[in-house]
Amino acid sequence: MKNLLLRGLGHRVHPSARVSPCLLMHVGRLDLAARARIGTGTVIRSVRLVRFAEDSGVLQWNWISAVPAFARYEPDDDRPGTFVMGRHAALMSRHYLDVSGGLSIGAFTSIAGVRSTFITHGVDVTTNTQRPHPIVIGERCLISSNIVFVPGCSIPDRCLVAMGSVVKGDLPLAGHLYAGSPATAKRPVDGDHFDRTEGYVSVSQHGDGERA
């Protein structure tokens, strides 16, 4: 029924997408592909475009919002006010996302744990104006808890970002562990997690247990 109502309002919601009890306020366009999901208690407010690819989505109690003015004042940039997730990407619980400048999360990337903060706009003290700065996270990354993402930062593919890091600027090396404030490359990282074929991660060490 919810999917039918959303489609009736002009959104593109696949019949197999799951929209749990949540708050959608002033969302311009909701585009949920097959088996995409929005979890209980999540708030999405003043976001121009929410696009989740197949098997991607957000879990419970996340806050996702934008400053609508950036989309109006940056007509040549289609990123402000957008939140895009690739296939099998996941945002876990109780994170804060400012997507005023745009936020893109690549396929099979997990924003794990809790309480990470993404900020995509800031004040230019020279001109006394606010400016949008998009954040881009590559494919097959694992993002730990309590990470701060500075406006305009980016993370390449197949990276692990340690708990409590501050991500600033463009991280240069794919396939590395990053940690610290600001986050810097510590060592190469690899493993089955970066080559998995579905987003869910098993509770069992050997992959034969229950899904997380």
Side-chain angles (χ1 to χ4, degrees), residues 7 10 58 79 91-92 97 103-104 111 119 130 136 154 170:
R7 287 198 293 271
V58 303
R79 295 170 297 180
L91 175 75
M92 299 306 175
L97 283 63
L103 173 59
S104 174
I111 312 299
I119 301 296
Q130 297 187 57
V136 178
S154 67
D170 299 323

Side-chain angles (χ1 to χ4, degrees), residues 140-184:
R140 298 183 178 275
C141 294
L142 179 58
I143 309 300
S144 304
S145 288
N146 288 283
I147 294 174
V148 174
F149 292 83
V150 173
C153 68
S154 67
I155 299 175
D157 296 344
R158 301 174 69 92
C159 286
L160 170 61
V161 182
M163 187 181 298
S165 299
V166 175
V167 179
K168 178 183 178 182
D170 299 323
L171 302 189
L173 300 173
H176 274 67
L177 165 66
Y178 287 87
S181 177
T184 57

Side-chain angles (χ1 to χ4, degrees), residues 23-195:
L23 180 60
L24 305 175
M25 291 182 59
H26 308 297
V27 175
R29 171 81 174 193
L30 189 64
D31 188 348
L32 302 181
R35 300 171 301 281
R37 61 202 183 277
I38 299 175
T40 301
T42 284
V43 175
I44 304 178
R45 180 175 179 272
S46 301
V47 178
R48 183 167 61 88
L49 170 66
V50 177
R51 176 171 291 152
F52 295 167
E54 294 85 354
D55 301 288
S56 69
V58 303
L59 300 188
Q60 65 272 17
W61 308 113
N62 294 288
W63 182 281
I64 302 159
S65 63
V67 177
F70 290 122
R72 296 195 298 269
Y73 297 150
E74 303 284 340
D76 298 325
D77 190 344
D78 61 2
R79 295 170 297 180
T82 63
F83 178 34
V84 178
M85 299 183 75
R87 294 186 310 112
H88 291 275
L91 175 75
M92 299 306 175
S93 179
R94 288 165 286 168
H95 298 289
Y96 176 85
L97 283 63
D98 158 41
V99 300
S100 300
L103 173 59
S104 174
I105 298 174
F108 288 92
T109 284
S110 294
I111 312 299
V114 296
R115 291 190 294 273
S116 286
T117 301
F118 298 75
I119 301 296
T120 62
H121 77 287
V123 174
D124 183 333
V125 296
T126 302
T127 62
N128 192 34
T129 56
Q130 297 187 57
R131 301 288 298 172
H133 303 280
I135 290 175
V136 178
I137 301 177
E139 297 185 354
R140 298 183 178 275
C141 294
L142 179 58
I143 309 300
S144 304
S145 288
N146 288 283
I147 294 174
V148 174
F149 292 83
V150 173
C153 68
S154 67
I155 299 175
D157 296 344
R158 301 174 69 92
C159 286
L160 170 61
V161 182
M163 187 181 298
S165 299
V166 175
V167 179
K168 178 183 178 182
D170 299 323
L171 302 189
L173 300 173
H176 274 67
L177 165 66
Y178 287 87
S181 177
T184 57
K186 302 302 181 182
R187 60 175 174 83
V189 66
D190 202 0
D192 292 346
H193 181 82
F194 302 100
D195 294 309

